[in-house]
PDB file of all heavy atoms in Angstrom:
ATOM      1  N   GLU V 209      49.361  12.550 106.421  1.00 94.00           N
ATOM      2  CA  GLU V 209      50.403  13.559 106.213  1.00 94.00           C
ATOM      3  C   GLU V 209      50.779  13.757 104.751  1.00 94.00           C
ATOM      4  O   GLU V 209      50.909  14.896 104.266  1.00 94.00           O
ATOM      5  CB  GLU V 209      51.653  13.213 107.030  1.00 94.00           C
ATOM      6  CG  GLU V 209      52.741  14.307 106.996  1.00 94.00           C
ATOM      7  CD  GLU V 209      52.307  15.625 107.634  1.00 94.00           C
ATOM      8  OE1 GLU V 209      51.360  15.629 108.487  1.00 94.00           O
ATOM      9  OE2 GLU V 209      52.879  16.641 107.299  1.00 94.00           O
ATOM     10  N   PHE V 210      50.910  12.668 104.037  1.00 94.00           N
ATOM     11  CA  PHE V 210      51.214  12.740 102.580  1.00 94.00           C
ATOM     12  C   PHE V 210      50.155  13.559 101.833  1.00 94.00           C
ATOM     13  O   PHE V 210      50.421  14.457 101.072  1.00 94.00           O
ATOM     14  CB  PHE V 210      51.375  11.334 102.027  1.00 94.00           C
ATOM     15  CG  PHE V 210      51.463  11.267 100.548  1.00 94.00           C
ATOM     16  CD1 PHE V 210      52.404  12.009  99.824  1.00 94.00           C
ATOM     17  CD2 PHE V 210      50.600  10.414  99.824  1.00 94.00           C
ATOM     18  CE1 PHE V 210      52.487  11.931  98.456  1.00 94.00           C
ATOM     19  CE2 PHE V 210      50.711  10.335  98.433  1.00 94.00           C
ATOM     20  CZ  PHE V 210      51.623  11.076  97.749  1.00 94.00           C
ATOM     21  N   SER V 211      48.898  13.196 102.091  1.00 96.00           N
ATOM     22  CA  SER V 211      47.758  13.862 101.407  1.00 96.00           C
ATOM     23  C   SER V 211      47.697  15.347 101.827  1.00 96.00           C
ATOM     24  O   SER V 211      47.336  16.207 101.013  1.00 96.00           O
ATOM     25  CB  SER V 211      46.449  13.129 101.758  1.00 96.00           C
ATOM     26  OG  SER V 211      46.452  11.814 101.361  1.00 96.00           O
ATOM     27  N   ILE V 212      47.943  15.613 103.087  1.00 97.00           N
ATOM     28  CA  ILE V 212      47.852  17.025 103.564  1.00 97.00           C
ATOM     29  C   ILE V 212      48.956  17.855 102.891  1.00 97.00           C
ATOM     30  O   ILE V 212      48.663  18.980 102.387  1.00 97.00           O
ATOM     31  CB  ILE V 212      48.001  17.047 105.110  1.00 97.00           C
ATOM     32  CG1 ILE V 212      46.764  16.467 105.762  1.00 97.00           C
ATOM     33  CG2 ILE V 212      48.235  18.496 105.580  1.00 97.00           C
ATOM     34  CD1 ILE V 212      46.913  16.159 107.211  1.00 97.00           C
ATOM     35  N   ARG V 213      50.179  17.344 102.873  1.00 96.00           N
ATOM     36  CA  ARG V 213      51.252  18.081 102.244  1.00 96.00           C
ATOM     37  C   ARG V 213      51.035  18.307 100.770  1.00 96.00           C
ATOM     38  O   ARG V 213      51.266  19.378 100.232  1.00 96.00           O
ATOM     39  CB  ARG V 213      52.609  17.336 102.469  1.00 96.00           C
ATOM     40  CG  ARG V 213      53.084  17.362 103.895  1.00 96.00           C
ATOM     41  CD  ARG V 213      54.438  16.722 104.035  1.00 96.00           C
ATOM     42  NE  ARG V 213      54.920  16.820 105.387  1.00 96.00           N
ATOM     43  CZ  ARG V 213      56.240  17.011 105.671  1.00 96.00           C
ATOM     44  NH1 ARG V 213      57.130  17.064 104.716  1.00 96.00           N
ATOM     45  NH2 ARG V 213      56.638  17.091 106.942  1.00 96.00           N
ATOM     46  N   ALA V 214      50.530  17.305 100.079  1.00 95.00           N
ATOM     47  CA  ALA V 214      50.253  17.414  98.647  1.00 95.00           C
ATOM     48  C   ALA V 214      49.116  18.462  98.418  1.00 95.00           C
ATOM     49  O   ALA V 214      49.170  19.192  97.442  1.00 95.00           O
ATOM     50  CB  ALA V 214      49.820  16.059  98.066  1.00 95.00           C
ATOM     51  N   GLY V 215      48.140  18.476  99.346  1.00 97.00           N
ATOM     52  CA  GLY V 215      47.046  19.450  99.201  1.00 97.00           C
ATOM     53  C   GLY V 215      47.497  20.889  99.365  1.00 97.00           C
ATOM     54  O   GLY V 215      47.164  21.796  98.588  1.00 97.00           O
ATOM     55  N   VAL V 216      48.310  21.142 100.421  1.00 97.00           N
ATOM     56  CA  VAL V 216      48.790  22.516 100.681  1.00 97.00           C
ATOM     57  C   VAL V 216      49.646  22.978  99.500  1.00 97.00           C
ATOM     58  O   VAL V 216      49.437  24.081  98.973  1.00 97.00           O
ATOM     59  CB  VAL V 216      49.595  22.596 101.983  1.00 97.00           C
ATOM     60  CG1 VAL V 216      50.178  23.947 102.154  1.00 97.00           C
ATOM     61  CG2 VAL V 216      48.705  22.264 103.166  1.00 97.00           C
ATOM     62  N   ARG V 217      50.564  22.135  99.086  1.00 95.00           N
ATOM     63  CA  ARG V 217      51.449  22.560  97.954  1.00 95.00           C
ATOM     64  C   ARG V 217      50.660  22.749  96.669  1.00 95.00           C
ATOM     65  O   ARG V 217      50.933  23.664  95.926  1.00 95.00           O
ATOM     66  CB  ARG V 217      52.542  21.505  97.767  1.00 95.00           C
ATOM     67  CG  ARG V 217      53.619  22.024  96.776  1.00 95.00           C
ATOM     68  CD  ARG V 217      54.831  21.130  96.772  1.00 95.00           C
ATOM     69  NE  ARG V 217      54.593  19.856  96.053  1.00 95.00           N
ATOM     70  CZ  ARG V 217      55.540  18.935  95.834  1.00 95.00           C
ATOM     71  NH1 ARG V 217      56.779  19.108  96.332  1.00 95.00           N
ATOM     72  NH2 ARG V 217      55.250  17.831  95.162  1.00 95.00           N
ATOM     73  N   GLY V 218      49.648  21.897  96.443  1.00 96.00           N
ATOM     74  CA  GLY V 218      48.846  22.032  95.263  1.00 96.00           C
ATOM     75  C   GLY V 218      48.041  23.314  95.211  1.00 96.00           C
ATOM     76  O   GLY V 218      47.992  23.968  94.174  1.00 96.00           O
ATOM     77  N   ILE V 219      47.471  23.711  96.374  1.00 98.00           N
ATOM     78  CA  ILE V 219      46.724  24.971  96.401  1.00 98.00           C
ATOM     79  C   ILE V 219      47.637  26.172  96.128  1.00 98.00           C
ATOM     80  O   ILE V 219      47.307  27.072  95.347  1.00 98.00           O
ATOM     81  CB  ILE V 219      45.988  25.146  97.717  1.00 98.00           C
ATOM     82  CG1 ILE V 219      44.944  24.063  97.883  1.00 98.00           C
ATOM     83  CG2 ILE V 219      45.358  26.490  97.833  1.00 98.00           C
ATOM     84  CD1 ILE V 219      44.398  23.909  99.293  1.00 98.00           C
ATOM     85  N   VAL V 220      48.821  26.170  96.732  1.00 96.00           N
ATOM     86  CA  VAL V 220      49.783  27.243  96.495  1.00 96.00           C
ATOM     87  C   VAL V 220      50.194  27.266  95.040  1.00 96.00           C
ATOM     88  O   VAL V 220      50.303  28.342  94.422  1.00 96.00           O
ATOM     89  CB  VAL V 220      51.035  27.073  97.437  1.00 96.00           C
ATOM     90  CG1 VAL V 220      52.127  28.052  97.043  1.00 96.00           C
ATOM     91  CG2 VAL V 220      50.614  27.280  98.852  1.00 96.00           C
ATOM     92  N   ASN V 221      50.371  26.095  94.420  1.00 95.00           N
ATOM     93  CA  ASN V 221      50.678  26.053  93.003  1.00 95.00           C
ATOM     94  C   ASN V 221      49.575  26.671  92.136  1.00 95.00           C
ATOM     95  O   ASN V 221      49.853  27.440  91.176  1.00 95.00           O
ATOM     96  CB  ASN V 221      50.858  24.557  92.537  1.00 95.00           C
ATOM     97  CG  ASN V 221      52.164  23.956  93.037  1.00 95.00           C
ATOM     98  OD1 ASN V 221      53.079  24.669  93.441  1.00 95.00           O
ATOM     99  ND2 ASN V 221      52.215  22.639  93.032  1.00 95.00           N
ATOM    100  N   VAL V 222      48.334  26.406  92.473  1.00 97.00           N
ATOM    101  CA  VAL V 222      47.221  26.997  91.725  1.00 97.00           C
ATOM    102  C   VAL V 222      47.201  28.521  91.928  1.00 97.00           C
ATOM    103  O   VAL V 222      47.012  29.266  90.962  1.00 97.00           O
ATOM    104  CB  VAL V 222      45.859  26.381  92.202  1.00 97.00           C
ATOM    105  CG1 VAL V 222      44.688  27.178  91.611  1.00 97.00           C
ATOM    106  CG2 VAL V 222      45.757  24.922  91.773  1.00 97.00           C
ATOM    107  N   MET V 223      47.476  28.988  93.120  1.00 98.00           N
ATOM    108  CA  MET V 223      47.535  30.419  93.397  1.00 98.00           C
ATOM    109  C   MET V 223      48.645  31.101  92.581  1.00 98.00           C
ATOM    110  O   MET V 223      48.496  32.207  92.046  1.00 98.00           O
ATOM    111  CB  MET V 223      47.677  30.680  94.887  1.00 98.00           C
ATOM    112  CG  MET V 223      46.489  30.228  95.713  1.00 98.00           C
ATOM    113  SD  MET V 223      46.682  30.392  97.514  1.00 98.00           S
ATOM    114  CE  MET V 223      46.543  32.191  97.661  1.00 98.00           C
ATOM    115  N   ARG V 224      49.746  30.412  92.448  1.00 96.00           N
ATOM    116  CA  ARG V 224      50.825  30.969  91.624  1.00 96.00           C
ATOM    117  C   ARG V 224      50.386  31.021  90.156  1.00 96.00           C
ATOM    118  O   ARG V 224      50.658  31.948  89.413  1.00 96.00           O
ATOM    119  CB  ARG V 224      52.101  30.119  91.732  1.00 96.00           C
ATOM    120  CG  ARG V 224      52.727  30.132  93.125  1.00 96.00           C
ATOM    121  CD  ARG V 224      54.089  29.518  93.125  1.00 96.00           C
ATOM    122  NE  ARG V 224      54.614  29.224  94.464  1.00 96.00           N
ATOM    123  CZ  ARG V 224      55.022  30.150  95.324  1.00 96.00           C
ATOM    124  NH1 ARG V 224      55.008  31.412  94.996  1.00 96.00           N
ATOM    125  NH2 ARG V 224      55.426  29.781  96.507  1.00 96.00           N
TER     126      ARG V 224
END
Side-chain angles (χ1 to χ4, degrees):
E209 185 64 21
F210 170 54
S211 300
I212 292 167
R213 289 183 175 217
V216 174
R217 190 169 76 176
I219 295 167
V220 170
N221 287 342
V222 170
M223 294 176 74
R224 295 193 194 286

